[in-house]
Amino acid sequence: MTTPNPGSDDEEFVPQYTAPAWYTTEPWNGIADTDTPIPWHALSTDPAPEPGCHICQAHPVAHTEIRSHTGLVLWGRTRTVAEPLCRQCGIALVRTMTTRTLWQGWWGLASLLFHTPVALEQNASAYRKFKALPASAPPLGKASLAPGKPVLRRPQAYVAFIPAAWATQLIVHLITG
């Protein structure tokens, strides 16, 4: 290291530093060299924590998408939840969004033929994933969603019979014409 000459104003102080060899080599990237110490900044004492449920922070969680589709005459609106959820919160959200899709999703041709059946199938797949998870309890101070009634015990789910009957009548009329 050099020190500037106090009498000269034209020289600027430039610190000189050379990092030790053990610091510049990277033994921690998969090629372990037991003789070379690993720098302190390359070590972690804790593994990266797995994210908990997005709602209640419980473990274990499933990563899947839950959809709700609202059909409109000329277009539709799809809402998607793609967060890690525990068993209870996931089942509650699947039930709520599936019920909403069953009574609001059929009101449009594209919705009737494509969007609503896709949303219902994806929700059925998500439901199976959540049912496969073990039961868990959220940490103190957090609350899981209440699962509520199953989908077929909710009156809104039966509104889906109206467009189903309409579509059946339309198909029968076109065939027998």
Side-chain angles (χ1 to χ4, degrees):
M1 180 160 52
T2 62
T3 58
N5 185 351
S8 66
D9 292 331
D10 56 351
E11 289 186 31
E12 185 178 318
F13 172 72
V14 178
Q16 300 294 321
Y17 176 76
T18 306
W22 64 266
Y23 187 83
T24 57
T25 58
E26 297 182 5
W28 59 90
N29 67 0
I31 305 170
D33 181 6
T34 56
D35 296 335
T36 306
I38 298 174
W40 65 269
H41 59 80
L43 297 177
S44 174
T45 57
D46 297 327
E50 179 182 329
C53 175
H54 182 70
I55 297 168
C56 70
Q57 304 303 314
H59 287 279
V61 296
H63 300 273
T64 186
E65 286 187 357
I66 306 169
R67 292 181 185 259
S68 172
H69 182 75
T70 302
L72 303 170
V73 175
L74 298 176
W75 63 88
R77 180 176 54 228
T78 300
R79 293 186 177 125
T80 304
V81 175
E83 302 290 343
L85 297 168
C86 67
R87 176 188 169 107
Q88 187 166 340
C89 292
I91 289 173
L93 204 55
V94 165
R95 287 177 177 177
T96 300
M97 293 179 81
T98 300
T99 303
R100 184 176 299 139
T101 300
L102 283 171
W103 73 278
Q104 293 179 346
W106 304 99
W107 311 111
L109 188 59
S111 297
L112 177 68
L113 298 176
F114 180 72
H115 295 292
T116 298
V118 168
L120 292 174
E121 176 56 37
Q122 191 159 19
N123 288 355
S125 173
Y127 181 76
R128 287 188 296 272
K129 277 188 176 182
F130 291 126
K131 285 297 271 187
L133 288 176
S136 60
L140 287 175
K142 301 285 184 174
S144 298
L145 294 177
K149 296 179 183 177
V151 173
L152 296 179
R153 290 193 183 160
R154 299 175 184 209
Q156 299 94 339
Y158 293 101
V159 174
F161 285 128
I162 296 169
W166 173 76
T168 304
Q169 183 181 8
L170 179 66
I171 291 170
V172 168
H173 182 14
L174 291 174
I175 291 174
T176 59

